Amino acid sequence: MATTVTDQQLDALGDILLRQGHCDQRTLERARRVAAESDQRMDAILIQLGLVSERGLADAYASLLSVPVTATDRYPSAAPVLPDRLSAGFLRHARAVPLAADEETLVLAAADPLDPFTQAAVAMATGRRVRLEIAVPIELETALNRLYPESDGAPADTEGEAPLEEDAERLKDLASEAPVIRLVNLLITRAVETQASDIHIEPFEDRLRVRYRYDGVLHEAEPPPRHLAAAITSRIKIMARLDIAERRMPQDGRIKMAVRGQDVDFRVSTIPSLHGETVVLRVLDRSAVTFDYARLGLSPPVIRKFGTALDLPNGIVLVTGPTGSGKTTTLYTGLLALNAVTRKIVTVEDPIEYQLQGINQIQVRSQIGLTFASLLRSILRQDPDVIMVGEIRDSETAQIAVQAALTGHLVLSTLHTNSAAAAVTRLRDMGVEDYLLTAVLRGIMAQRLVRRLCPECRRAEPAAPALVERFGLDRRTNARPIMLSHAVGCQACRQTGYRGRAAIAEFLELGPDIERLIFSRADHTMIERAAVAGGMDPMFDAGLSSVLAGETTLEEVTRSIRADP
């Protein structure tokens, strides 16, 4: 067995990475140059600089050596394999985990399969022939933490008795230790690699729970050791420049770090709970977000109507929906379409989710008096053409937005309402007069997000007659038989059957009929009926169109829109 990694192996590995599309020639040459200058291996440099994903490198190793990549369910679920022969310290240093063993063979998952020393040492220590598999480092670290927990004998910390909770300097020291830094980086990297939108870290009396949100749904991950809860929280606070000594009050911050060679922002929120601080990180990965109407899933008629409203020189255009329905992403897409040298665009946001090139973005800071209303009043003196208000929350903000629209500005904003028509009554409740509503409103879009079916594993079946009749599907398509797609689950979608989300929307245009109803103080139901009669495709109907197109399921549409004909 060779004792070192050969240049031929690394050259072959580089060719595979290029062929599989994990990097380009320029990236490879950069890694080779840095490797030569630092006397390190090219593959290690690719990972350190975030030029190749861990999964991509693992796939390339597998192709090079003709061995499989270890699936997550291959790791031992309970006790480690041969713990009397292989110590936790050695396995952590070697970045390897034994998967199974019999009298003659041991199956070993290794993050660095090109290191011959690890295989030779394991074979010598166990007296067995080693059969290699390729470990994805994120998954291997999780298995190591679960099977070989690092414990210093500290008891599970409870409020008022654990020294970790009382000694800020001790917390700072713990948070600066390599295992904690590595563990937090692992949690964050895994979120970006797997395209999670949020990381939830929640301490309980007997465990520390970690959950990732994928496509709007939370999934539990392998938990870190409970006694590291305070150290993990402190490490995240240090990264977000928060006060680690303050554990009684909520705090908000931001982290910026490079993952896969891309700068990724994380919005951090900490809130005190019964057994410690709950931490949520929102992943703001610009490379994973597409500011394109069609890619967002909006239908062509809605895109056309929304674009027409944005082309108007003044007025208010609203996007409504509950929290997490993609309102801000839709508004950002509209702003980028409007962005030009000839226009001055200013936004007032709480918080600023993504930084947009060429657009003036302002963060609300209520604690020092910078509210939506006060900032909006000041912005009007800056001679803007387009103003985006993150949310109209109160009557003062609503009144100033109306005045801005009346004085020749285009105002974009969001409201929390269940439908487009309900935005009219919501503004009316905020004290905006009916004649002002008809004067400034240019269009209202209501939207929801539904999970997209995974294109790799979705399965189409004939629709049940009861469903066809209940939802009137036969009136919406000429296809016979009517086919509905269903979620199945595969490795590409983490066995959920869904991958990504799409926006389902309705757009209410204000015509003479709608204006007359607003003047007569009609409720949102009457306004919605008139809008549908005038050609508006209701949100639930738009959802059914996506179902018939095989993009999502009836269950998703009814769950997200909560409507029933």
Side-chain angles (χ1 to χ4, degrees), residues 45-103:
I45 294 297
L46 285 168
I47 288 295
Q48 288 174 22
L49 297 182
L51 302 175
V52 170
S53 71
E54 292 183 341
R55 171 71 64 178
L57 186 59
D59 289 340
Y61 283 143
S63 298
L64 176 68
L65 302 175
S66 299
V67 296
V69 176
T70 305
T72 53
D73 57 6
R74 291 271 292 149
Y75 291 101
S77 58
V81 175
L82 301 179
D84 54 331
R85 299 288 185 91
L86 299 170
S87 70
F90 166 74
L91 292 173
R92 286 188 179 278
H93 179 74
R95 296 197 303 152
V97 168
L99 303 177
D102 56 27
E103 292 298 322

Short mmCIF file of all heavy atoms in Angstrom, two decimals, residues 45-103:
data_model
loop_
_atom_site.label_atom_id
_atom_site.label_comp_id
_atom_site.label_asym_id
_atom_site.label_seq_id
_atom_site.Cartn_x
_atom_site.Cartn_y
_atom_site.Cartn_z
N ILE A 45 -7.41 22.06 -0.09
CA ILE A 45 -7.53 23.48 -0.40
C ILE A 45 -8.89 23.80 -0.99
O ILE A 45 -9.52 24.81 -0.67
CB ILE A 45 -6.40 23.93 -1.35
CG1 ILE A 45 -5.03 23.81 -0.67
CG2 ILE A 45 -6.64 25.34 -1.85
CD1 ILE A 45 -4.86 24.71 0.53
N LEU A 46 -9.38 22.92 -1.86
CA LEU A 46 -10.69 23.14 -2.48
C LEU A 46 -11.78 23.28 -1.42
O LEU A 46 -12.68 24.11 -1.53
CB LEU A 46 -11.03 21.99 -3.43
CG LEU A 46 -10.29 22.00 -4.78
CD1 LEU A 46 -10.49 20.67 -5.49
CD2 LEU A 46 -10.77 23.14 -5.65
N ILE A 47 -11.70 22.45 -0.37
CA ILE A 47 -12.70 22.50 0.70
C ILE A 47 -12.47 23.71 1.60
O ILE A 47 -13.41 24.42 1.96
CB ILE A 47 -12.67 21.20 1.53
CG1 ILE A 47 -13.26 20.04 0.72
CG2 ILE A 47 -13.43 21.36 2.83
CD1 ILE A 47 -14.73 20.19 0.39
N GLN A 48 -11.20 23.97 1.96
CA GLN A 48 -10.90 25.09 2.87
C GLN A 48 -11.35 26.42 2.29
O GLN A 48 -11.84 27.29 3.00
CB GLN A 48 -9.40 25.13 3.16
CG GLN A 48 -8.91 24.02 4.08
CD GLN A 48 -7.39 24.01 4.22
OE1 GLN A 48 -6.75 25.02 3.98
NE2 GLN A 48 -6.83 22.86 4.58
N LEU A 49 -11.19 26.59 0.98
CA LEU A 49 -11.57 27.85 0.34
C LEU A 49 -13.02 27.86 -0.10
O LEU A 49 -13.50 28.85 -0.67
CB LEU A 49 -10.67 28.12 -0.88
CG LEU A 49 -9.18 28.31 -0.60
CD1 LEU A 49 -8.43 28.61 -1.88
CD2 LEU A 49 -8.95 29.43 0.42
N GLY A 50 -13.74 26.76 0.15
CA GLY A 50 -15.15 26.70 -0.22
C GLY A 50 -15.38 26.67 -1.72
O GLY A 50 -16.42 27.09 -2.21
N LEU A 51 -14.40 26.16 -2.49
CA LEU A 51 -14.50 26.14 -3.95
C LEU A 51 -15.28 24.95 -4.47
O LEU A 51 -15.74 24.95 -5.60
CB LEU A 51 -13.09 26.16 -4.57
CG LEU A 51 -12.21 27.36 -4.16
CD1 LEU A 51 -10.82 27.21 -4.74
CD2 LEU A 51 -12.85 28.66 -4.64
N VAL A 52 -15.38 23.92 -3.63
CA VAL A 52 -16.13 22.70 -3.99
C VAL A 52 -16.95 22.30 -2.76
O VAL A 52 -16.47 22.43 -1.63
CB VAL A 52 -15.18 21.55 -4.40
CG1 VAL A 52 -15.93 20.23 -4.54
CG2 VAL A 52 -14.49 21.88 -5.71
N SER A 53 -18.17 21.84 -2.97
CA SER A 53 -18.97 21.40 -1.83
C SER A 53 -18.45 20.06 -1.31
O SER A 53 -17.81 19.29 -2.04
CB SER A 53 -20.44 21.25 -2.24
OG SER A 53 -20.61 20.12 -3.08
N GLU A 54 -18.71 19.79 -0.03
CA GLU A 54 -18.28 18.53 0.56
C GLU A 54 -18.92 17.34 -0.15
O GLU A 54 -18.28 16.31 -0.37
CB GLU A 54 -18.62 18.52 2.05
CG GLU A 54 -17.82 19.51 2.87
CD GLU A 54 -18.13 19.43 4.35
OE1 GLU A 54 -19.19 18.88 4.70
OE2 GLU A 54 -17.30 19.91 5.15
N ARG A 55 -20.19 17.48 -0.50
CA ARG A 55 -20.88 16.41 -1.22
C ARG A 55 -20.25 16.18 -2.59
O ARG A 55 -20.06 15.05 -3.03
CB ARG A 55 -22.36 16.75 -1.36
CG ARG A 55 -23.17 15.86 -2.26
CD ARG A 55 -23.39 14.48 -1.71
NE ARG A 55 -24.18 14.50 -0.48
CZ ARG A 55 -24.54 13.38 0.17
NH1 ARG A 55 -24.18 12.19 -0.29
NH2 ARG A 55 -25.23 13.47 1.28
N GLY A 56 -19.90 17.28 -3.28
CA GLY A 56 -19.28 17.15 -4.60
C GLY A 56 -17.94 16.45 -4.54
O GLY A 56 -17.64 15.59 -5.38
N LEU A 57 -17.12 16.79 -3.53
CA LEU A 57 -15.82 16.13 -3.39
C LEU A 57 -15.99 14.66 -3.04
O LEU A 57 -15.25 13.80 -3.55
CB LEU A 57 -14.98 16.84 -2.32
CG LEU A 57 -13.54 16.35 -2.16
CD1 LEU A 57 -12.76 16.49 -3.47
CD2 LEU A 57 -12.83 17.10 -1.04
N ALA A 58 -16.98 14.35 -2.19
CA ALA A 58 -17.24 12.95 -1.84
C ALA A 58 -17.64 12.14 -3.08
O ALA A 58 -17.19 11.01 -3.28
CB ALA A 58 -18.33 12.87 -0.77
N ASP A 59 -18.47 12.72 -3.93
CA ASP A 59 -18.86 12.03 -5.17
C ASP A 59 -17.65 11.79 -6.07
O ASP A 59 -17.55 10.73 -6.71
CB ASP A 59 -19.91 12.86 -5.92
CG ASP A 59 -21.26 12.86 -5.22
OD1 ASP A 59 -21.50 11.95 -4.40
OD2 ASP A 59 -22.08 13.78 -5.49
N ALA A 60 -16.75 12.76 -6.10
CA ALA A 60 -15.55 12.61 -6.93
C ALA A 60 -14.64 11.52 -6.37
O ALA A 60 -14.08 10.70 -7.13
CB ALA A 60 -14.80 13.94 -7.03
N TYR A 61 -14.45 11.49 -5.04
CA TYR A 61 -13.68 10.40 -4.42
C TYR A 61 -14.28 9.04 -4.79
O TYR A 61 -13.57 8.08 -5.10
CB TYR A 61 -13.71 10.53 -2.90
CG TYR A 61 -12.80 11.58 -2.30
CD1 TYR A 61 -13.22 12.32 -1.18
CD2 TYR A 61 -11.53 11.84 -2.79
CE1 TYR A 61 -12.40 13.28 -0.60
CE2 TYR A 61 -10.71 12.79 -2.21
CZ TYR A 61 -11.15 13.51 -1.12
OH TYR A 61 -10.33 14.45 -0.54
N ALA A 62 -15.62 8.96 -4.71
CA ALA A 62 -16.29 7.69 -4.99
C ALA A 62 -16.03 7.23 -6.42
O ALA A 62 -15.79 6.04 -6.67
CB ALA A 62 -17.80 7.85 -4.74
N SER A 63 -16.06 8.16 -7.37
CA SER A 63 -15.78 7.81 -8.76
C SER A 63 -14.33 7.41 -8.95
O SER A 63 -14.02 6.47 -9.70
CB SER A 63 -16.11 9.00 -9.68
OG SER A 63 -17.47 9.33 -9.60
N LEU A 64 -13.42 8.10 -8.27
CA LEU A 64 -12.00 7.80 -8.39
C LEU A 64 -11.66 6.40 -7.87
O LEU A 64 -10.90 5.66 -8.51
CB LEU A 64 -11.19 8.86 -7.64
CG LEU A 64 -9.67 8.66 -7.59
CD1 LEU A 64 -9.06 8.84 -8.98
CD2 LEU A 64 -9.02 9.63 -6.60
N LEU A 65 -12.23 6.05 -6.73
CA LEU A 65 -11.87 4.80 -6.06
C LEU A 65 -12.87 3.67 -6.31
O LEU A 65 -12.66 2.55 -5.82
CB LEU A 65 -11.75 5.05 -4.55
CG LEU A 65 -10.73 6.13 -4.13
CD1 LEU A 65 -10.79 6.36 -2.64
CD2 LEU A 65 -9.32 5.73 -4.55
N SER A 66 -13.98 3.99 -7.01
CA SER A 66 -15.03 2.99 -7.28
C SER A 66 -15.58 2.39 -5.99
O SER A 66 -15.73 1.16 -5.86
CB SER A 66 -14.48 1.89 -8.20
OG SER A 66 -14.07 2.44 -9.44
N VAL A 67 -15.85 3.24 -5.04
CA VAL A 67 -16.47 2.82 -3.78
C VAL A 67 -17.66 3.74 -3.52
O VAL A 67 -17.72 4.85 -4.05
CB VAL A 67 -15.49 2.87 -2.58
CG1 VAL A 67 -14.35 1.88 -2.77
CG2 VAL A 67 -14.94 4.28 -2.41
N PRO A 68 -18.65 3.29 -2.71
CA PRO A 68 -19.85 4.11 -2.54
C PRO A 68 -19.67 5.25 -1.54
O PRO A 68 -18.79 5.21 -0.67
CB PRO A 68 -20.88 3.10 -2.00
CG PRO A 68 -20.04 2.07 -1.30
CD PRO A 68 -18.77 1.96 -2.07
N VAL A 69 -20.54 6.26 -1.68
CA VAL A 69 -20.66 7.31 -0.67
C VAL A 69 -21.60 6.81 0.41
O VAL A 69 -22.66 6.25 0.12
CB VAL A 69 -21.22 8.62 -1.29
CG1 VAL A 69 -21.44 9.66 -0.20
CG2 VAL A 69 -20.28 9.15 -2.35
N THR A 70 -21.21 6.97 1.67
CA THR A 70 -21.99 6.45 2.79
C THR A 70 -23.32 7.19 2.93
O THR A 70 -23.34 8.42 3.03
CB THR A 70 -21.21 6.58 4.11
OG1 THR A 70 -19.94 5.95 3.96
CG2 THR A 70 -21.96 5.95 5.26
N ALA A 71 -24.41 6.45 2.93
CA ALA A 71 -25.73 7.04 3.19
C ALA A 71 -25.85 7.31 4.69
O ALA A 71 -25.24 6.61 5.52
CB ALA A 71 -26.84 6.12 2.73
N THR A 72 -26.65 8.30 5.07
CA THR A 72 -26.76 8.67 6.49
C THR A 72 -27.31 7.53 7.34
O THR A 72 -26.95 7.41 8.52
CB THR A 72 -27.68 9.90 6.64
OG1 THR A 72 -28.92 9.65 5.98
CG2 THR A 72 -27.04 11.13 6.03
N ASP A 73 -28.17 6.68 6.76
CA ASP A 73 -28.73 5.58 7.56
C ASP A 73 -27.76 4.41 7.72
O ASP A 73 -28.09 3.42 8.36
CB ASP A 73 -30.05 5.09 6.96
CG ASP A 73 -29.89 4.64 5.50
OD1 ASP A 73 -28.75 4.60 5.00
OD2 ASP A 73 -30.93 4.32 4.87
N ARG A 74 -26.56 4.53 7.15
CA ARG A 74 -25.55 3.47 7.31
C ARG A 74 -24.78 3.60 8.62
O ARG A 74 -24.17 2.64 9.08
CB ARG A 74 -24.56 3.51 6.14
CG ARG A 74 -25.14 3.10 4.80
CD ARG A 74 -25.00 1.60 4.58
NE ARG A 74 -23.60 1.20 4.42
CZ ARG A 74 -23.11 0.04 4.80
NH1 ARG A 74 -23.89 -0.84 5.41
NH2 ARG A 74 -21.84 -0.27 4.59
N TYR A 75 -24.79 4.79 9.20
CA TYR A 75 -24.05 4.97 10.46
C TYR A 75 -24.76 4.22 11.58
O TYR A 75 -26.00 4.13 11.58
CB TYR A 75 -23.94 6.46 10.81
CG TYR A 75 -23.03 7.21 9.87
CD1 TYR A 75 -23.55 8.00 8.84
CD2 TYR A 75 -21.65 7.15 10.00
CE1 TYR A 75 -22.72 8.69 7.97
CE2 TYR A 75 -20.81 7.85 9.14
CZ TYR A 75 -21.35 8.61 8.12
OH TYR A 75 -20.51 9.29 7.26
N PRO A 76 -24.02 3.66 12.53
CA PRO A 76 -24.66 2.93 13.64
C PRO A 76 -25.68 3.80 14.35
O PRO A 76 -25.44 4.99 14.59
CB PRO A 76 -23.48 2.59 14.56
CG PRO A 76 -22.28 2.59 13.67
CD PRO A 76 -22.55 3.64 12.63
N SER A 77 -26.82 3.22 14.68
CA SER A 77 -27.89 4.00 15.30
C SER A 77 -27.75 4.07 16.81
O SER A 77 -28.27 4.98 17.44
CB SER A 77 -29.25 3.39 14.94
OG SER A 77 -29.31 2.03 15.36
N ALA A 78 -27.07 3.11 17.41
CA ALA A 78 -26.97 3.09 18.87
C ALA A 78 -25.51 3.11 19.32
O ALA A 78 -24.90 4.17 19.42
CB ALA A 78 -27.70 1.86 19.42
N ALA A 79 -24.94 1.92 19.54
CA ALA A 79 -23.58 1.83 20.06
C ALA A 79 -22.56 1.87 18.93
O ALA A 79 -22.82 1.41 17.82
CB ALA A 79 -23.41 0.54 20.86
N PRO A 80 -21.36 2.43 19.19
CA PRO A 80 -20.32 2.43 18.17
C PRO A 80 -19.78 1.02 17.93
O PRO A 80 -19.94 0.12 18.75
CB PRO A 80 -19.25 3.34 18.78
CG PRO A 80 -19.50 3.35 20.25
CD PRO A 80 -20.97 3.15 20.41
N VAL A 81 -19.13 0.84 16.79
CA VAL A 81 -18.57 -0.45 16.40
C VAL A 81 -17.15 -0.59 16.96
O VAL A 81 -16.32 0.31 16.78
CB VAL A 81 -18.57 -0.59 14.87
CG1 VAL A 81 -17.88 -1.88 14.45
CG2 VAL A 81 -19.99 -0.53 14.33
N LEU A 82 -16.90 -1.68 17.64
CA LEU A 82 -15.58 -2.00 18.22
C LEU A 82 -14.97 -0.84 19.01
O LEU A 82 -13.84 -0.40 18.75
CB LEU A 82 -14.61 -2.42 17.11
CG LEU A 82 -15.00 -3.64 16.27
CD1 LEU A 82 -13.93 -3.92 15.21
CD2 LEU A 82 -15.18 -4.86 17.15
N PRO A 83 -15.71 -0.30 20.00
CA PRO A 83 -15.17 0.83 20.76
C PRO A 83 -13.95 0.47 21.59
O PRO A 83 -13.17 1.36 21.96
CB PRO A 83 -16.36 1.24 21.64
CG PRO A 83 -17.19 0.01 21.77
CD PRO A 83 -17.04 -0.73 20.48
N ASP A 84 -13.77 -0.85 21.88
CA ASP A 84 -12.61 -1.26 22.66
C ASP A 84 -11.33 -1.28 21.83
O ASP A 84 -10.23 -1.29 22.37
CB ASP A 84 -12.84 -2.65 23.28
CG ASP A 84 -13.22 -3.68 22.23
OD1 ASP A 84 -13.82 -3.29 21.21
OD2 ASP A 84 -12.93 -4.87 22.44
N ARG A 85 -11.46 -1.30 20.50
CA ARG A 85 -10.30 -1.33 19.61
C ARG A 85 -9.99 0.03 18.99
O ARG A 85 -8.84 0.32 18.67
CB ARG A 85 -10.55 -2.33 18.48
CG ARG A 85 -10.77 -3.77 18.92
CD ARG A 85 -9.49 -4.40 19.43
NE ARG A 85 -9.66 -5.80 19.74
CZ ARG A 85 -9.46 -6.79 18.87
NH1 ARG A 85 -9.11 -6.51 17.63
NH2 ARG A 85 -9.62 -8.04 19.23
N LEU A 86 -11.04 0.84 18.79
CA LEU A 86 -10.86 2.13 18.11
C LEU A 86 -11.36 3.25 19.01
O LEU A 86 -12.55 3.34 19.32
CB LEU A 86 -11.64 2.15 16.79
CG LEU A 86 -11.22 1.11 15.75
CD1 LEU A 86 -12.22 1.05 14.60
CD2 LEU A 86 -9.82 1.41 15.22
N SER A 87 -10.44 4.09 19.46
CA SER A 87 -10.81 5.15 20.41
C SER A 87 -11.46 6.32 19.71
O SER A 87 -11.25 6.57 18.51
CB SER A 87 -9.56 5.63 21.15
OG SER A 87 -8.72 6.36 20.27
N ALA A 88 -12.25 7.06 20.48
CA ALA A 88 -12.93 8.24 19.93
C ALA A 88 -11.91 9.28 19.47
O ALA A 88 -12.09 9.91 18.42
CB ALA A 88 -13.86 8.84 20.99
N GLY A 89 -10.82 9.43 20.24
CA GLY A 89 -9.80 10.42 19.87
C GLY A 89 -9.16 10.11 18.54
O GLY A 89 -8.96 11.00 17.70
N PHE A 90 -8.82 8.83 18.32
CA PHE A 90 -8.23 8.44 17.04
C PHE A 90 -9.19 8.68 15.89
O PHE A 90 -8.82 9.22 14.84
CB PHE A 90 -7.81 6.96 17.08
CG PHE A 90 -7.51 6.40 15.73
CD1 PHE A 90 -6.34 6.72 15.06
CD2 PHE A 90 -8.42 5.55 15.09
CE1 PHE A 90 -6.07 6.22 13.79
CE2 PHE A 90 -8.16 5.05 13.82
CZ PHE A 90 -6.97 5.38 13.18
N LEU A 91 -10.46 8.28 16.07
CA LEU A 91 -11.43 8.41 14.98
C LEU A 91 -11.71 9.87 14.66
O LEU A 91 -11.88 10.24 13.49
CB LEU A 91 -12.74 7.70 15.36
CG LEU A 91 -12.64 6.17 15.45
CD1 LEU A 91 -13.94 5.59 15.99
CD2 LEU A 91 -12.32 5.57 14.08
N ARG A 92 -11.75 10.73 15.68
CA ARG A 92 -11.94 12.15 15.42
C ARG A 92 -10.75 12.72 14.64
O ARG A 92 -10.91 13.52 13.72
CB ARG A 92 -12.12 12.92 16.73
CG ARG A 92 -13.48 12.71 17.37
CD ARG A 92 -13.68 13.63 18.56
NE ARG A 92 -15.00 13.42 19.14
CZ ARG A 92 -16.12 13.95 18.68
NH1 ARG A 92 -16.06 14.75 17.63
NH2 ARG A 92 -17.28 13.70 19.26
N HIS A 93 -9.54 12.33 15.04
CA HIS A 93 -8.35 12.82 14.35
C HIS A 93 -8.31 12.30 12.91
O HIS A 93 -7.96 13.05 11.98
CB HIS A 93 -7.10 12.38 15.10
CG HIS A 93 -5.82 12.82 14.44
ND1 HIS A 93 -5.38 14.12 14.47
CD2 HIS A 93 -4.91 12.12 13.70
CE1 HIS A 93 -4.25 14.22 13.80
NE2 HIS A 93 -3.93 13.02 13.31
N ALA A 94 -8.71 11.04 12.72
CA ALA A 94 -8.67 10.44 11.39
C ALA A 94 -9.88 10.80 10.55
O ALA A 94 -9.89 10.54 9.35
CB ALA A 94 -8.57 8.92 11.52
N ARG A 95 -10.90 11.37 11.18
CA ARG A 95 -12.17 11.68 10.52
C ARG A 95 -12.74 10.44 9.83
O ARG A 95 -12.93 10.38 8.62
CB ARG A 95 -12.00 12.82 9.52
CG ARG A 95 -11.60 14.13 10.16
CD ARG A 95 -11.83 15.30 9.25
NE ARG A 95 -11.11 15.14 7.99
CZ ARG A 95 -11.49 15.66 6.83
NH1 ARG A 95 -12.60 16.37 6.77
NH2 ARG A 95 -10.78 15.48 5.75
N ALA A 96 -13.00 9.44 10.68
CA ALA A 96 -13.52 8.17 10.18
C ALA A 96 -14.46 7.57 11.22
O ALA A 96 -14.32 7.84 12.42
CB ALA A 96 -12.37 7.20 9.89
N VAL A 97 -15.40 6.77 10.76
CA VAL A 97 -16.34 6.07 11.64
C VAL A 97 -16.53 4.65 11.12
O VAL A 97 -16.86 4.47 9.93
CB VAL A 97 -17.72 6.78 11.68
CG1 VAL A 97 -18.77 5.91 12.36
CG2 VAL A 97 -17.62 8.12 12.39
N PRO A 98 -16.32 3.63 11.98
CA PRO A 98 -16.60 2.25 11.56
C PRO A 98 -18.11 2.03 11.46
O PRO A 98 -18.86 2.41 12.36
CB PRO A 98 -15.98 1.40 12.67
CG PRO A 98 -15.89 2.30 13.85
CD PRO A 98 -15.74 3.69 13.33
N LEU A 99 -18.54 1.42 10.36
CA LEU A 99 -19.97 1.24 10.12
C LEU A 99 -20.46 -0.14 10.54
O LEU A 99 -21.57 -0.28 11.07
CB LEU A 99 -20.29 1.45 8.63
CG LEU A 99 -19.88 2.80 8.04
CD1 LEU A 99 -20.19 2.83 6.55
CD2 LEU A 99 -20.60 3.94 8.74
N ALA A 100 -19.66 -1.15 10.30
CA ALA A 100 -20.06 -2.53 10.63
C ALA A 100 -18.80 -3.40 10.62
O ALA A 100 -17.78 -3.03 10.01
CB ALA A 100 -21.08 -3.05 9.62
N ALA A 101 -18.88 -4.52 11.30
CA ALA A 101 -17.73 -5.43 11.35
C ALA A 101 -18.19 -6.86 11.53
O ALA A 101 -19.20 -7.12 12.21
CB ALA A 101 -16.79 -5.02 12.49
N ASP A 102 -17.48 -7.79 10.89
CA ASP A 102 -17.65 -9.22 11.18
C ASP A 102 -16.28 -9.78 11.56
O ASP A 102 -15.35 -9.01 11.85
CB ASP A 102 -18.28 -9.96 9.99
CG ASP A 102 -17.49 -9.76 8.70
OD1 ASP A 102 -16.26 -9.53 8.78
OD2 ASP A 102 -18.09 -9.86 7.61
N GLU A 103 -16.13 -11.07 11.50
CA GLU A 103 -14.87 -11.67 11.95
C GLU A 103 -13.69 -11.31 11.06
O GLU A 103 -12.55 -11.29 11.51
CB GLU A 103 -15.02 -13.20 12.00
CG GLU A 103 -15.98 -13.69 13.08
CD GLU A 103 -15.52 -13.30 14.48
OE1 GLU A 103 -14.30 -13.34 14.74
OE2 GLU A 103 -16.37 -12.95 15.30
#
